[in-house]
């Protein structure tokens, strides 16, 4: 048997256990060589993680906000769109209520699928349609409520709109790209970062 313990140490198999019997010597080895070799240094290695996070989100927001500003022909394009959407608080609220009621109605109808027959198949569509029609009829009620609560609805609307949009964008889009390559994650972050940046620029004017 060769003097394996005198061999130079370096990349290669590493003995982790030796069993000696009268006729055989059993070696249990574990390879120390990495299949892919050492990872190449990343572009942002050595940079503070908080700085990387800030640059990642700020650059994504700047790109999206620049597109909105160009579309609106206004340096505050993102804030302009957010302000306009906030003014239309009642139609937006009706839209959100209609969509939410339709989803709730559809889920409610699923409980009747076990009944079978035509009733079981039509339960979800009928419940969703009925709930959506109820949501469409809340416009006058919301108008009266917002008038009673003025001026708070106009002041709170930007935060509610921006917050709801941010949550929806994160749930529907952003979180689905968390494991993708850096450039893909950055592109997917643009809508969310744009909404946050627009809200940050518009909020001081709305609350003054």
């Amino acid at each position: 048997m060769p003097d394996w313990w005198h061999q130079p140490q370096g990349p290669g198999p590493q003995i982790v256990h030796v069993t000696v019997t009268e006729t055989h010597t059993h070696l249990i080895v574990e390879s120390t060589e990495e299949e892919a070799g050492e990872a190449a240094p990343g572009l942002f290695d050595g940079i503070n993680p908080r700085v990387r996070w800030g640059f990642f989100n700020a650059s994504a927001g700047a790109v999206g906000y620049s597109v909105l500003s160009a579309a609106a022909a206004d340096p505050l394009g993102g804030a302009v769109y957010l302000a306009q959407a906030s003014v239309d608080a009642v139609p937006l609220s009706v839209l959100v209520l209609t969509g939410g009621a339709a989803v709730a109605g559809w889920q409610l109808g699923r409980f009747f699928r076990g009944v079978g027959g035509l009733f079981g198949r039509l339960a979800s569509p009928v419940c969703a349609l009925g709930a959506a029609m109820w949501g469409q009829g809340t416009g006058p009620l919301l108008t009266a409520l917002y008038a009673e609560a003025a001026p708070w609805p106009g002041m709170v609307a930007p935060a509610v709109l921006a917050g709801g949009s941010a949550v929806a964008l994160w749930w529907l889009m952003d979180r689905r790209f968390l494991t993708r390559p850096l450039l893909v994650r950055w592109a997917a972050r643009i809508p969310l970062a744009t909404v946050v940046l627009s809200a940050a620029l518009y909020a001081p004017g709305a609350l003054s």
Side-chain angles (χ1 to χ4, degrees):
M1 177 180 177
D3 297 337
W4 51 267
W5 55 85
H6 289 155
Q7 299 298 320
Q9 300 298 319
Q14 178 183 359
I15 298 175
V16 296
H17 185 69
V18 180
T19 302
V20 180
T21 64
E22 294 182 356
T23 58
H24 297 86
T25 299
H26 302 279
L27 305 179
I28 301 176
V29 299
E30 180 180 280
S31 177
T32 59
E33 295 183 1
E34 298 183 1
E35 295 181 359
E38 295 183 359
L43 178 62
F44 297 102
D45 286 354
I47 301 178
N48 188 295
R50 294 181 179 179
V51 175
R52 294 203 306 266
W53 179 87
F55 179 78
F56 181 85
N57 289 281
S59 59
V63 170
Y65 197 85
S66 298
V67 173
L68 289 180
S69 298
D74 191 310
L76 296 179
V80 168
Y81 285 119
L82 183 60
Q84 183 60 41
S86 301
V87 171
D88 300 330
V90 172
L92 283 174
S93 300
V94 171
L95 178 62
V96 171
L97 278 176
T98 301
V103 173
W106 184 276
Q107 294 298 327
L108 178 63
R110 296 180 64 181
F111 288 102
F112 299 97
R113 290 184 178 179
V115 176
L118 183 63
F119 179 81
R121 291 194 295 271
L122 294 180
S124 287
V126 170
C127 289
L129 179 61
M133 292 177 65
W134 171 85
Q136 282 291 314
T138 58
L141 175 62
L142 292 176
T143 300
L145 289 176
Y146 288 171
E148 288 290 333
W152 291 104
M155 298 175 64
V156 176
V160 174
L161 177 62
S165 301
V167 171
L169 287 170
W170 177 83
W171 178 262
L172 296 174
M173 183 176 181
D174 190 81
R175 70 185 183 93
R176 302 178 185 275
F177 293 87
L178 294 178
T179 59
R180 300 297 180 87
L182 178 63
L183 186 58
V184 177
R185 295 201 311 270
W186 178 83
R189 180 63 56 86
I190 290 177
L192 176 58
T194 303
V195 168
V196 174
L197 180 58
S198 299
L201 293 175
Y202 176 60
L207 298 177
S208 60

